[in-house]
């Protein structure tokens, strides 16, 4: 059914990714699909990494650890953006298309007042992408 699954990850909030990663891992096993973790980083230093190259290495390490936990091969893709706060939705959609993903599994949180005015990243991608999006709370 699915051949390529993408999971957007925020390395600064790894503790909140468990349900989405577990769900994606189960789907990858069931459908024998590729699983790719995608992280978006700015060109400037952050709390996670000083450079995009360092971010890519940390994302790769995270992916390797997740492969052991999930029991499936995991690839990673680091995307660099001048302004991830503004470009995140488009960067994720573009990465999904570049990967040939036919399913995106995304974690989200309970909507608050902010999300009633502005959509969440998962909500935006689910509403605007032509790729199936499975949102996990």
């Amino acid at each position: 059914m699915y051949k390529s699954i993408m999971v957007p990850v925020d390395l600064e909030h790894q503790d909140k990714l468990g349900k989405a990663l577990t769900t994606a891992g189960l789907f990858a096993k069931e459908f024998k699909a590729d699983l790719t973790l995608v992280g978006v980083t700015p060109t400037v230093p952050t709390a996670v990494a000083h450079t995009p190259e360092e971010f890519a290495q940390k994302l790769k390490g995270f992916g390797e650890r997740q492969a052991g936990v999930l029991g499936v091969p995991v690839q990673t893709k680091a995307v660099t953006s001048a302004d991830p706060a503004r470009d995140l939705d488009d960067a994720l959609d573009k990465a999904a298309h570049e990967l040939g993903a036919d399913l995106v599994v995304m974690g989200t949180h309970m909507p608050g007042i902010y999300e009633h005015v502005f959509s969440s990243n998962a909500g935006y991608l689910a509403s605007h992408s032509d790729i199936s999006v499975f949102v996990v709370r």
Side-chain angles (χ1 to χ4, degrees):
M1 179 173 218
Y2 297 108
K3 292 183 169 109
S4 178
I5 301 170
M6 180 182 105
V7 182
V9 297
D10 181 348
L11 293 182
E12 195 166 355
H13 300 286
Q14 294 178 30
D15 59 321
K16 295 181 178 16
L17 299 171
K19 285 177 77 174
L21 290 169
T22 299
T23 301
L26 290 171
F27 285 166
K29 281 181 191 174
E30 178 68 24
F31 301 118
K32 296 175 180 49
D34 294 333
L35 179 59
T36 305
L37 307 182
V38 174
V40 180
T41 188
T43 54
V44 298
T46 66
V48 173
H50 295 94
T51 65
E53 295 78 19
E54 181 184 1
F55 178 84
Q57 286 300 320
K58 287 187 176 189
L59 181 62
K60 182 179 179 191
F62 180 73
E64 290 169 351
R65 290 188 299 279
Q66 290 307 308
V69 171
L70 300 173
V72 296
V74 174
Q75 292 83 40
T76 59
K77 178 178 179 67
V79 177
T80 304
S81 168
D83 186 0
R86 189 188 87 221
D87 300 334
L88 185 61
D89 298 324
D90 291 334
L92 292 175
D93 191 48
K94 181 178 177 187
H97 283 90
E98 287 173 354
L99 292 168
D102 49 9
L103 176 65
V104 177
V105 177
M106 288 185 80
T108 191
H109 55 280
M110 291 298 293
I113 292 173
Y114 180 84
E115 285 77 21
H116 291 289
V117 177
F118 305 101
S119 69
S120 67
N121 298 113
Y124 181 88
L125 202 58
S127 297
H128 293 88
S129 182
D130 60 345
I131 298 170
S132 294
V133 178
F134 190 93
V135 180
V136 180
R137 257 195 207 143

